[in-house]
Amino acid sequence: MPSIIPVKEFAERRRKLMERMAPDSIAIIPAAPERVRNRDVLHPFRQDSDFQYLTGFGEPEAVLALIPGREHGESVLFCKERNPEKELWDGFLVGPEGAIERYGLDDAFPISDIDDILPGMIEGRSRVYYPLGKDQGFDTRVMDWVKVLRSKVKSGAHPPGEFVSLEHLLHDLRLYKSSCEIKAMAKAGQISAEAHCRAMKRARKGGYEYNLEAELIHTFMDHGARSTAYPSIVGGGANGCILHYIENIAPLKDGELVLIDAGCEVECYASDITRTFPVSGKFSPEQRAVYDVVLEAQYAAIDAVRPGNHWNHPHEAALRVLTGGLIDLGILSGTVDDAIASEAFKPFFMHRTGHWLGLDVHDVGDYKVGDAWRLLEPGMALTVEPGLYIAPDNTDVDEKWRGIGIRIEDDVVVTKEGCRVLTDGVPKTVEDIEALMAD
């Protein structure tokens, strides 16, 4: 299957990053390490998002060095060598020559030679851009290289004088999605939407939360999405009031709602969808009343996603609708302004209305520039996910509301005119949900 993100786009990303780097500098970006699950079993490997963004290279034990102005090539990869015996056990390796040919790197060396080669590339560079604190073991290795250079100052060596965090430059680039990135995210959203529809249909059979999780994973895999973007949340009844519930072991009961927050990855790009629906296929009057408030809040928030509005505008729009709805239902009293000022809504809506979305489900990028909320611009991708959660033990509200947890979430990209919803392939009105479940 051809990649959605072409090789030339990775090269363009590296070029843009190097343009932002100081003169006489070097950037060092390690791949993600493999993680032990238990004893000699490893977790499935998932590449570090920054490394993936700059290379598209999917192997561990690799390091990228970006060296603006280097005569023999500015982008250099260190990776594992081809090894037929090892590949018999663990699968194909690209190797240094393959990395140049397949990934458009300027130069490549065996990872086993990095201690001999990379310190010489650092030498003479005044500044090192590096993600300090991300990998303690590799931090130590980089510091050891610099110590060796410092020990040779009397012999004429020139160690770097400054270490600078790489994240600020790189993460600002990642915040703006290209058309190819949006295409990958849209595909992930389309697959995830189909998975949610399949889970809604399966819910009518009863069973357990994990039965619905199985339907999600089946659909992801069936369409070539080999990984979830995060552990799937399938919360039936009061479990829907637990924001990050991932046990997914409780029985599904007629008369209760089930909240599913799940999405897959396509080429490491995440989708993130939440839907809430009745196990029986029919909302009760109380469930529908709360649901309609959350849906109205989501519509208001999506409408506020447009260039020129700042990051907090969608949240403010959703919050006013949610708070007004709680007052209309008799759960809160007073005026909307007073309830917001006193944060009376907090027991029922305790999170933000969204987050950046991309290679990480909670993607990188500053939400504020200085003390001001960041303005929304075309190419930014975010989630819109208002919710209301009425705890089962909240004795301050009428018993009929207790245990109702509802969240509705979609993935949205800012466009020149407004926004585009990437995940509209799964129903979210009461009528559409009930019709799908009755089919």
Side-chain angles (χ1 to χ4, degrees):
M1 183 183 299
S3 173
I4 296 173
I5 312 295
V7 170
K8 64 181 182 180
E9 182 158 324
F10 293 108
E12 179 66 11
R13 294 170 183 177
R14 295 191 293 269
R15 184 190 66 78
K16 287 181 177 179
L17 179 59
M18 285 190 281
E19 283 180 350
R20 289 160 173 76
M21 291 165 55
D24 299 320
S25 63
I26 182 173
I28 301 171
I29 305 99
E34 292 183 295
R35 303 289 186 186
V36 175
R37 181 184 184 276
N38 59 295
R39 196 168 168 81
D40 57 351
V41 177
L42 299 174
H43 282 285
F45 180 73
R46 201 278 192 184
Q47 188 57 275
D48 173 79
S49 293
D50 287 339
F51 191 90
Q52 174 71 22
Y53 180 78
L54 292 169
T55 66
F57 187 80
E59 294 179 13
E61 295 183 51
V63 176
L64 175 68
L66 297 179
I67 315 168
R70 179 175 177 261
E71 184 179 351
H72 300 293
E74 296 179 317
S75 59
V76 182
L77 185 73
F78 295 86
C79 64
K80 291 184 283 188
E81 287 189 275
R82 296 293 309 278
N83 183 327
E85 184 177 347
K86 185 174 178 59
E87 289 176 45
L88 178 66
W89 288 89
D90 298 328
F92 174 80
L93 294 171
V94 172
E97 291 183 3
I100 296 171
E101 181 180 341
R102 293 179 57 182
Y103 293 92
L105 281 306
D106 297 326
D107 207 353
F109 300 94
I111 190 69
S112 57
D113 293 342
I114 193 169
D115 290 328
D116 298 323
I117 297 173
L118 190 52
M121 294 177 173
I122 297 172
E123 202 271 336
R125 296 278 160 172
S126 60
R127 177 179 292 187
V128 178
Y129 291 92
Y130 175 73
L132 279 167
K134 204 169 186 179
D135 182 336
Q136 188 173 1
F138 200 80
D139 287 354
T140 301
R141 200 169 181 184
V142 173
M143 292 302 110
D144 286 343
W145 293 333
V146 174
K147 287 177 184 176
V148 170
L149 292 174
R150 287 175 177 169
S151 70
K152 297 179 179 179
V153 168
K154 291 182 180 179
S155 302
H158 296 279
E162 187 179 11
F163 271 78
V164 179
S165 173
L166 177 71
E167 281 85 344
H168 179 70
L169 293 181
L170 181 54
H171 292 177
D172 202 56
L173 286 175
R174 281 179 54 186
L175 182 57
Y176 298 88
K177 273 60 179 183
S178 69
S179 60
C180 290
E181 289 178 287
I182 293 169
K183 186 176 179 181
M185 294 173 68
K187 183 174 181 181
Q190 179 184 3
I191 295 170
S192 297
E194 186 169 330
H196 277 261
C197 290
R198 185 182 176 110
M200 285 183 185
K201 294 178 179 180
R202 173 62 176 79
R204 290 294 303 275
K205 297 180 181 179
Y208 289 79
E209 293 165 341
Y210 54 72
N211 296 130
L212 302 192
E213 184 178 15
E215 300 293 344
L216 297 166
I217 294 172
H218 170 89
T219 309
F220 296 162
M221 292 285 189
D222 200 38
H223 289 81
R226 297 276 291 131
S227 178
T228 60
Y230 52 94
S232 300
I233 296 168
V234 184
N239 291 335
C241 295
I242 303 171
L243 299 183
H244 291 158
Y245 172 81
I246 57 171
E247 291 184 23
N248 303 349
I249 57 174
L252 301 170
K253 298 177 182 178
D254 267 356
E256 292 187 338
L257 297 172
V258 58
L259 184 155
I260 296 182
D261 186 338
C264 67
E265 281 188 348
V266 169
E267 297 188 20
C268 291
Y269 284 89
S271 59
D272 188 0
I273 302 175
T274 306
R275 292 292 187 268
T276 311
F277 54 91
V279 174
S280 66
K282 280 284 186 182
F283 287 86
S284 72
E286 290 78 19
Q287 291 167 350
R288 176 165 188 160
V290 179
Y291 188 94
D292 283 342
V293 171
V294 177
L295 183 59
E296 183 185 350
Q298 201 215 24
Y299 285 143
I302 290 174
D303 190 55
V305 177
R306 58 185 60 255
N309 279 0
H310 60 61
W311 166 258
N312 210 42
H313 269 128
H315 177 69
E316 292 169 354
L319 184 57
R320 291 200 69 82
V321 175
L322 293 174
T323 305
L326 289 169
I327 292 170
D328 292 341
L329 296 175
I331 295 172
L332 292 180
S333 60
T335 68
V336 171
D337 288 337
D338 288 344
I340 290 175
S342 65
E343 297 190 332
F345 61 86
K346 270 291 182 70
F348 311 103
F349 180 50
M350 62 293 293
H351 59 77
R352 303 289 301 177
T353 304
H355 51 78
W356 299 130
L357 184 70
L359 284 168
D360 295 301
V361 68
H362 292 151
D363 206 29
V364 296
D366 294 330
Y367 293 100
K368 285 189 172 183
V369 178
D371 294 327
W373 291 110
R374 187 165 206 149
L375 293 179
L376 298 175
E377 299 179 60
M380 294 179 173
L382 60 148
T383 64
V384 180
E385 51 176 312
L388 287 175
Y389 315 90
I390 307 171
D393 58 353
N394 188 339
T395 56
D396 293 332
V397 303
D398 192 298
E399 186 176 358
K400 66 182 181 179
W401 304 116
R402 296 176 198 167
I404 295 178
I406 294 169
R407 183 165 65 253
I408 307 170
E409 178 180 21
D410 282 296
D411 303 342
V412 177
V413 175
V414 184
T415 64
K416 291 180 180 178
E417 297 79 22
C419 68
R420 172 189 170 195
V421 179
L422 301 179
T423 50
D424 55 4
V426 52
K428 60 184 176 184
T429 67
V430 167
E431 293 78 13
D432 289 344
I433 290 172
E434 291 183 345
L436 177 69
M437 296 184 72
D439 181 9

